[in-house]
Structure formats: structure tokens, C-alpha cells
Amino acid sequence: MNPAAHPTIMGVDVIAVATLLSALATMAVLFALYTATTVRNPMARRVKALNERREQLKAGITASTSKRRRKLNATNQHADRMKAFLSSLKVLQDEQLRAAQKRLAQAGIRSKDAAVAVIFGRAVLPVVIGGGLAVAVYGFGWLSDVGALKRFFLVAGGLIGGYKGPDIFVGNMVSKRSAAIRKGLPDALDLLVICAEAGLTVDAAFARVARELGKAYPELGDEFQLTSIELGFLTDRRTAFENFAARVDLEAVRGVVTTMIQTEKYGTPLSSALRVLSAEFRNERMMKAEEKAARLPAIMTVPLILFILPSLFIVILGPAACSISDAFAK
């Protein structure tokens, strides 16, 4: 068929547009099938690493202690250099360091050197990014054809982004980890109720729940395992519960910790209190799901107007428009 004979609407080839939309729809269907058939197991990477390590130990290929010690010393040297640099600038404060360590613990990073690296990045990145943009824009004339106000906003954005970048990155990790822990908390409380009714102690119940939920919710399993270890060797059990609440940025976890502390202090039944909390958390999770479902029509309005309705109009009104255009042409 001659391309010039294709029907057109306002100078646009209808056959070409329909072919392009069909190709996009086919790609979307293939992508949806790929994402549906390739669900990743959260523990697959850990199991693979453990299997590789086991094979290395069987083959006798183990890293020497001296290499590990040199690596650890190199890491400590880098942290000491960053700490000395920040101390020389008088920007490293103990309260700021503790706040950074707490925030990193909520993100699942428990290294003390990482807090120094975050504060170092907060102090250095604005100078590197913002200063580099300022030199490039005002020193070398980069983007000279752009207005002065836009260049100023570019440099200011570099400065603000360099300063807030580490905090935004850590905050994103904290939010993702908190969401994963919130998702598995009702199941963990149900298992704690079962363990408490079976006669297990609190630390044994936490360890059992950590083993059972480690594959489905690895973040929650790690926190329960660490809490179980702290309950075993700390003299004050309240400190272990408070550390658990400090490591997780969730109001629900703080409520669980308050309940555990009260049961330890007053001797109230643990299973009944945890059963009530579990029911509350399940109702809260259901309410959040209903809230998302209620927001869906408003969210779908823009895609419906921009993508679905134009395609629908082309399919329905396209043939009529082509017939009218051919009639006027004749």
C-alpha cells in the first residue's frame, strides 16, 4: 500500500500512530509478564553468599587474618583522617555524631565510621558540588547563554543538594526499612503470642521469631535476633527493649516496647497484651490499604486523560474523521 494513501488526521499518519501505540502496548505487556514471573527472594543473595563461602572453606581458600587486619586498619585510618579533618574545622560534635549513628542504625548500618563519613560528606559535598558549579558557571562561562537568575539557582541547588544529599539518602533507606518492618510486625507479634503461650522466655521467643521470619522479613528478623542477644547478656532488660525502639523508626515498635517493659515491670500477662497489639496493627494495615484504594481514582485521573482517552478517541472517532476528510477532499 502506498504510504501517501494512508488516512491522516491533521496531517498525522493514522497507521503509523496505531503501529507505534501497538508496539508500546506490546512492550508494556512483556514487561508486566517479566516482572510477574521474576519475583526475587529477599534471602536469595544471602543464601548464595553463604554457599559461596562454604565452598571456599571446603576448598581451603580462606582470607588470611593479616589481610583482614590490614583492611580493618585501612578503614580505621580513613575514618580517623575524616574525624581529624572535621575536628580541625570544629564541626564534629558528640551530639551530632550520636544523632548520625542513631539515624544510620535505623537504616540498618551499625558501623560507627559510617556516621563520621555522613558528617564528612555533609561538610565536603557542598564545597565540591556547589563550588565546582560556581567555578564552572562564573569562572569558565559555562551556560553563558542562560539567564543570570537560572545560573544562580543552579549553583544554589548544587550547594543545598550537596548538603542535604547524605541526609536524603539515609532518610530514604530508613523509610524503606521501616516500611518492610511495619509489614511484618503483626505476624511477628502473632508468633510472639504463640511462643509466650508455649512457655518460652522473652529472649527465647525473640530468637524463635527471628528464625521463623528471617526469610520473609529479613530486616525484622535481624532486629529481633539482635534484641534477643541483648536480652541475653545485658543486665537491664529494659535497655535491650529501648535499644530495639531506638533502632526502628516506627511508632508501632515503640508501642510494643512500652508493652514489653510494662509486662516486665508489673508482671501482667504478655500474651494477652501482644494479642491486642497484633489486632490493632492488622486493623491499621487494613486501613492503610483501604486508604490507598480510595486514593486510586484520583491518582488515575491524570493517566486516564493523557494516555487512555486519546487512544480511545482515535479508535472510535478515527474512521469517521477519515471518512469525512476523504469526502471533503473529493
Side-chain angles (χ1 to χ4, degrees):
M1 183 177 180
N2 188 7
H6 290 176
T8 59
I9 299 178
M10 292 184 294
V12 179
D13 193 345
V14 177
I15 301 299
V17 172
T19 305
L20 180 60
L21 292 176
S22 301
L24 292 176
T26 304
M27 291 177 61
V29 170
L30 292 177
F31 179 75
L33 292 175
Y34 172 76
T35 55
T37 55
T38 57
V39 179
R40 297 182 179 179
N41 187 359
M43 292 294 291
R45 185 180 300 175
R46 296 188 180 187
V47 173
K48 183 179 179 181
L50 289 174
N51 291 332
E52 291 178 355
R53 182 60 180 167
R54 187 180 295 111
E55 295 298 329
Q56 289 178 359
L57 291 175
K58 288 181 180 179
I61 309 172
T62 57
S64 62
T65 308
S66 59
K67 291 183 179 180
R68 295 179 183 176
R69 189 178 293 113
R70 284 198 299 269
K71 184 178 180 180
L72 182 60
N73 292 333
T75 304
N76 292 333
Q77 288 177 1
H78 293 313
D80 293 338
R81 290 174 183 173
M82 289 187 291
K83 190 179 296 184
F85 176 75
L86 294 173
S87 300
S88 64
L89 296 178
K90 306 296 183 182
V91 295
L92 186 62
Q93 302 176 358
D94 294 336
E95 183 178 357
Q96 186 181 16
L97 190 61
R98 286 194 296 269
Q101 289 176 356
K102 180 180 178 181
R103 195 64 174 166
L104 287 171
Q106 293 174 353
I109 303 173
R110 301 185 178 93
S111 175
K112 294 182 178 180
D113 297 336
V116 180
V118 169
I119 299 174
F120 180 80
R122 194 186 301 165
V124 172
L125 286 179
V127 179
V128 174
I129 299 177
L133 287 175
V135 171
V137 171
Y138 295 109
F140 295 99
W142 185 51
L143 299 177
S144 58
D145 55 341
V146 181
L149 186 61
K150 293 182 179 180
R151 287 183 290 172
F152 170 75
F153 279 128
L154 178 62
V155 175
L159 288 170
I160 298 174
Y163 179 75
K164 300 297 292 184
D167 294 335
I168 293 173
F169 178 74
V170 175
N172 188 23
M173 294 179 63
V174 171
S175 62
K176 289 182 179 179
R177 194 166 187 269
S178 300
I181 291 175
R182 184 191 295 112
K183 189 182 298 183
L185 192 59
D187 298 334
L189 292 181
D190 289 340
L191 289 177
L192 278 178
V193 170
I194 294 173
C195 294
E197 292 178 346
L200 294 179
T201 59
V202 178
D203 50 348
F206 270 80
R208 181 68 179 180
V209 173
R211 288 196 300 270
E212 293 294 334
L213 294 181
K215 293 183 179 181
Y217 307 105
E219 296 85 1
L220 186 60
D222 291 340
E223 292 297 336
F224 269 61
Q225 186 66 40
L226 185 56
T227 304
S228 173
I229 294 172
E230 289 183 347
L231 286 171
F233 74 84
L234 288 180
T235 56
D236 189 8
R237 299 168 70 87
R238 178 170 182 166
T239 305
F241 291 128
E242 290 177 351
N243 291 338
F244 177 41
R247 290 193 305 268
V248 181
D249 188 20
L250 281 177
E251 189 65 31
V253 173
R254 286 189 282 271
V256 173
V257 167
T258 302
T259 303
M260 301 293 289
I261 292 174
Q262 289 178 353
T263 55
E264 288 281 339
K265 184 177 180 179
Y266 300 108
T268 55
L270 178 62
S271 59
S272 59
L274 290 179
R275 188 179 289 109
V276 173
L277 284 176
S278 176
E280 290 181 358
F281 294 155
R282 289 188 183 280
N283 292 332
E284 182 182 357
R285 189 166 64 178
M286 183 61 67
M287 289 175 62
K288 287 184 179 295
E290 292 176 355
E291 180 184 355
K292 289 183 178 180
R295 276 203 322 263
L296 189 60
I299 296 174
M300 287 295 295
T301 302
V302 176
L304 181 68
I305 295 174
L306 294 179
F307 302 107
I308 300 177
L309 289 181
S311 304
L312 188 62
F313 288 156
I314 291 174
V315 172
I316 295 176
L317 302 178
C322 293
S323 301
I324 294 172
S325 177
D326 293 339
F328 277 110
K330 292 179 180 179

